[in-house]
Amino acid sequence: MAAKLIKGAEISKQIREEIAVEIEELKGKHGLTPGLATILVGDDPGSKVYVGQKEKACDKLGIYSARTDIPADTSEEDLLGLVEKFNNDPKIHGILVQLPLPKHIDATRVIYAIEPDKDVDCFHPVNVGKLMIGTARFLPCTPHGIMELLKRSGTDTSGKHVVVVGRSNIVGKPIANLMLQRSPGGNATVTLCHTGTKDLAAFTKMADILIVAIGQPKAITADMVKDGVVVIDVGVNRIGKTPEGKGILAGDVDFDSVQEKAAAITPVPGGVGPMTITMLMKNTVEAAKATIGTK
Ligand code: NDP
């Protein structure tokens, strides 16, 4: 039987509608417009697309967006100066420096320079630490999106065995951590797999909920999962082009075969992808709300 589709595009639209209401309230009751500063260093085409999408999402929701594009040869000191300017700008509640940065810039130093209360990507070690101990103000955008997908598709995580494949700092480690927190949307038993895992399939077959973020197209196949699993496929891999020249995307999961066994599964595209920017908008609104009554 084919799995139920967890439609990120629809869930994301629903969340954006909720965010729009919150923004109207902030403007009406507090005269407060949430503001997001995005900094793009250089002209990497992929990064340009991502920053453009974030800017567009802000515009649609009525979030003030301050985009700064600076050349690839900008010095680290100049970039740090720009971050500091936004740290001190009361119209800005969230700061996002688009990664990757050119090689001559130490990305860690730049991330550490962002004021933690404005770190809407949740990359600053203060926020990573708060996530770990369960007191986070912001959750990193993709893991946060995964939590919402599970919640809004009616997937209970408590007491379930969640297997995460991939241990990156932006997806694998934080989602594993969130899943094991003793709080709603968590309370799962978690296994975290990576390239050092021997016999990956032995672990993935045990999963009630399988979250895959490895960047390897269609690597998880039907023989690696059990019947009734809920699958969250984070992967976005370009595997070719249509005759019209449009890019063809595939997830890290072999959707066609796995959906025959799964109870529910996210498609690629249209699953986790649309959630990431939506949760960035959510974090920006949360950051703005936190400033109420502080001045
Ligand atoms: P990284 O490349 O940073 O990390 C990949 C992780 O997967 C590593 O921990 C690596 O292990 C592990 N891994 C790779 N191959 C295997 C394998 N065959 N078996 C087991 N583990 C493996 O990737 P990201 O987390 O940044 O991204 C993962 C995927 O998710 C990519 O396709 C990316 O494009 C996508 N993505 C999508 C987002 C969205 O919004 N939809 C947002 C972020 C990412 P090791 O540590 O041992 O090297």
Side-chain angles (χ1 to χ4, degrees):
M1 205 181 79
K4 179 178 106 175
L5 275 188
I6 301 177
K7 295 179 184 164
E10 277 178 17
I11 294 174
S12 162
K13 189 165 167 260
Q14 194 184 0
I15 297 173
R16 286 192 193 201
E17 283 165 9
E18 293 164 12
I19 296 174
V21 172
E22 283 189 76
I23 293 172
E24 277 315 302
E25 265 185 35
L26 280 178
K27 288 182 180 173
K29 284 192 191 154
H30 301 279
L32 179 62
T33 301
L36 177 69
T38 49
I39 302 173
L40 174 64
V41 188
D43 48 15
D44 174 73
S47 294
K48 265 190 175 169
V49 170
Y50 288 136
V51 171
Q53 287 172 344
K54 289 163 189 173
E55 206 182 10
K56 214 186 269 173
C58 284
D59 289 346
K60 274 197 172 160
L61 284 169
I63 292 175
Y64 166 64
S65 155
R67 171 173 171 173
T68 310
D69 289 14
I70 49 178
D73 61 1
T74 299
S75 71
E76 187 174 298
E77 293 312 316
D78 284 351
L79 176 56
L80 289 169
L82 191 57
V83 168
E84 192 53 23
K85 186 188 94 168
F86 287 128
N87 278 342
N88 295 319
D89 184 342
K91 292 197 301 301
I92 296 299
H93 306 97
I95 301 171
L96 182 143
V97 180
Q98 184 65 43
L99 300 178
L101 290 170
K103 284 197 172 54
H104 66 280
I105 296 177
D106 179 355
T108 305
R109 210 172 153 217
V110 175
I111 289 166
Y112 282 29
I114 297 172
E115 165 60 42
D117 287 347
K118 296 191 178 189
D119 168 41
V120 282
D121 257 340
C122 195
F123 289 165
H124 193 286
V126 165
N127 290 323
V128 175
K130 285 184 174 176
L131 182 152
M132 183 90 175
I133 57 174
T135 60
R137 168 176 300 160
F138 308 122
L139 300 181
C141 301
T142 303
H144 196 178
I146 295 170
M147 302 278 286
E148 287 293 331
L149 287 177
L150 290 171
K151 186 172 97 183
R152 292 175 190 245
S153 63
T155 309
D156 186 15
T157 53
S158 184
K160 300 286 170 56
H161 185 186
V162 175
V163 176
V164 178
V165 191
R167 59 176 159 191
S168 72
N169 288 336
I170 63 166
V171 188
K173 280 184 202 156
I175 191 61
N177 215 289
L178 289 166
M179 286 291 133
L180 60 79
Q181 296 290 333
R182 191 206 289 263
S183 51
N187 208 30
T189 301
V190 179
T191 300
L192 181 50
C193 301
H194 42 76
T195 56
T197 301
K198 291 199 171 70
D199 194 2
L200 177 65
F203 294 96
T204 55
K205 267 186 208 159
M206 286 195 284
D208 301 315
I209 298 170
L210 179 64
I211 301 174
V212 189
I214 57 176
Q216 306 289 334
K218 304 185 184 185
I220 304 295
T221 47
D223 56 317
M224 298 171 76
V225 302
K226 72 177 181 187
D227 284 324
V229 64
V230 172
V231 179
I232 302 290
D233 186 356
V234 185
V236 180
N237 306 287
R238 287 182 197 283
I239 56 165
K241 283 192 173 169
T242 64
E244 299 78 42
K246 233 181 130 198
I248 302 172
L249 298 181
D252 291 341
V253 174
D254 181 31
F255 181 87
D256 291 341
S257 69
V258 171
Q259 64 133 4
E260 294 293 334
K261 287 175 91 175
I265 186 168
T266 56
V268 177
V272 176
M275 298 296 289
T276 299
I277 292 181
T278 296
M279 301 327 289
L280 175 71
M281 300 296 117
K282 175 91 184 147
N283 281 352
T284 304
V285 172
E286 292 304 320
K289 274 198 222 164
T291 64
I292 295 170
T294 58
K295 288 178 210 99

